[in-house]
Amino acid sequence: MNDLADSTRFATRFLDNVIEYNMKRHALPKIMDAVASDRRVGLGITGLADALMAMGLRYDSDEALDAVEKIMQTICYNAYETSIDLAQEKGTFPLFDYEGISKSKFIQALPTRICDKIEKFGLRNCTLITMPPVGTGSIVAETTSGIEPIFCTSYKRRVKQADGETFREYKVYHPLIKRLYGGDEDLREYVVTAHSIDPFFRVKMQGVIQRYTDSSISSTLNLPEETTVETVANIYITAYKEGLKGVTVYREGSREGILQSESSAP
């Protein structure tokens, strides 16, 4: 985890510098003042499902939960340690108030050594961690997006041709699947996709990640078309009990033109 800790510290400093670089580039003075007052950054991850697969861990396993907890703990603690260091070097964010921030359940859950440093030196950033969707970014990086599982091991892509009317259709494999196995036949048992993972396990996984994330999480639970209203209600209640700030569900077939698994496509 040393490389991850070093990368986290570098990224936290970089993101704080980005705030400064962009400070005078905001469209309105009010926006600039808001950004300057709390200096929020959103350090996150992407390619989580690919990382688990590369380690030979099923996304929906207790071993994966343990691995993700260690990863997130390393990111969270090192990001906060770095923000404390930056506060000593450059000053705290203007709205910093220890009496107020110490009431945060998230801050209270941090190790005592970090809480003591926050009380003594403050923080450079109001929030540090978030889990974004990483849509286009994941396509460029050729990884799974954010904390999402692999959606499909392969899918069909349609590309409009130069005449503006016809399409060329071809099969695309998930990049890591292609790289590791050459295709999606006879895959290892630890290779699982979004639609085969129990949604309540997804909530459990998101709960582990939320424990070390002071902002929100972008993640969609993929549900089969026959999912009942009662099941959706239970997912939301379970998410609340797990301490999630929010949860998103998508019942397949509820909207046209959205990603569909091959079995449900018309």
Side-chain angles (χ1 to χ4, degrees):
M1 290 289 181
N2 287 336
D3 288 344
L4 180 59
D6 291 342
S7 297
T8 298
R9 288 177 174 272
F10 173 83
T12 304
R13 286 181 173 273
F14 178 82
L15 290 172
D16 188 70
N17 287 337
V18 170
I19 293 175
E20 210 61 47
Y21 179 82
N22 287 326
M23 195 62 72
K24 295 183 179 180
R25 292 173 169 80
H26 294 292
L28 298 172
K30 285 185 177 181
I31 298 176
M32 183 178 72
D33 292 342
V35 171
S37 66
D38 55 22
R39 303 187 67 84
R40 294 176 184 268
V41 298
L43 178 64
I45 62 175
T46 194
L48 177 63
D50 279 352
L52 293 174
M53 182 171 63
M55 291 188 285
L57 299 176
R58 283 180 64 99
Y59 190 101
D60 55 346
S61 68
D62 290 336
E63 291 78 13
L65 290 176
D66 291 341
V68 169
E69 177 143 28
K70 291 175 183 176
I71 290 169
M72 290 304 305
Q73 192 176 87
T74 299
I75 292 172
C76 175
Y77 293 173
N78 280 278
Y80 268 83
E81 291 273 13
T82 304
S83 189
I84 293 167
D85 292 343
L86 287 169
Q88 295 178 72
E89 296 171 20
K90 302 179 180 181
T92 64
F93 65 90
L95 292 181
F96 176 80
D97 172 58
Y98 181 73
E99 184 178 349
I101 203 170
S102 64
K103 296 176 183 178
S104 162
K105 291 183 179 180
F106 182 87
I107 296 295
Q108 292 172 2
L110 294 172
T112 302
R113 73 176 192 279
I114 294 180
C115 292
D116 290 344
K117 287 182 180 180
I118 292 173
E119 183 177 12
K120 185 176 181 179
F121 302 114
L123 287 167
R124 178 67 170 169
N125 315 95
C126 177
T127 60
L128 288 155
I129 316 293
T130 192
M131 292 296 134
V134 201
T136 304
S138 66
I139 294 174
V140 174
E142 296 190 331
T143 65
T144 49
S145 57
I147 66 168
E148 303 283 3
I150 298 170
F151 184 78
C152 285
T153 56
S154 65
Y155 56 92
K156 292 180 181 178
R157 174 167 286 173
R158 298 179 73 208
V159 178
K160 185 177 286 188
Q161 300 302 288
D163 60 14
E165 296 180 0
T166 59
F167 291 85
R168 181 169 68 91
E169 191 174 89
Y170 57 98
K171 190 172 186 178
V172 179
Y173 292 97
H174 179 71
L176 188 60
I177 294 286
K178 182 70 173 177
R179 190 155 62 247
L180 293 179
Y181 307 111
D184 57 355
E185 300 292 333
D186 301 319
L187 296 175
R188 303 291 179 88
E189 60 87 24
Y190 52 75
V191 179
V192 291
T193 57
H195 292 84
S196 64
I197 299 174
D198 181 79
F200 291 95
F201 185 92
R202 292 285 306 279
V203 171
K204 192 173 183 179
M205 173 67 83
Q206 192 169 330
V208 170
I209 296 169
Q210 186 72 80
R211 201 176 302 154
Y212 301 98
T213 303
D214 52 18
S215 297
S216 297
I217 293 173
S218 175
S219 183
T220 301
L221 279 59
N222 300 96
L223 306 176
E225 191 167 354
E226 62 272 15
T227 302
T228 64
V229 173
E230 289 75 21
T231 299
V232 173
N234 286 334
I235 288 171
Y236 274 85
I237 292 170
T238 304
Y240 175 79
K241 291 178 179 178
E242 285 283 344
L244 272 58
K245 293 180 182 292
V247 65
T248 303
V249 301
Y250 174 71
R251 185 181 64 79
E252 193 150 350
S254 59
R255 289 182 62 193
E256 293 183 2
I258 305 297
L259 281 173
Q260 294 180 311
S261 59
E262 194 168 330
S263 60
S264 66

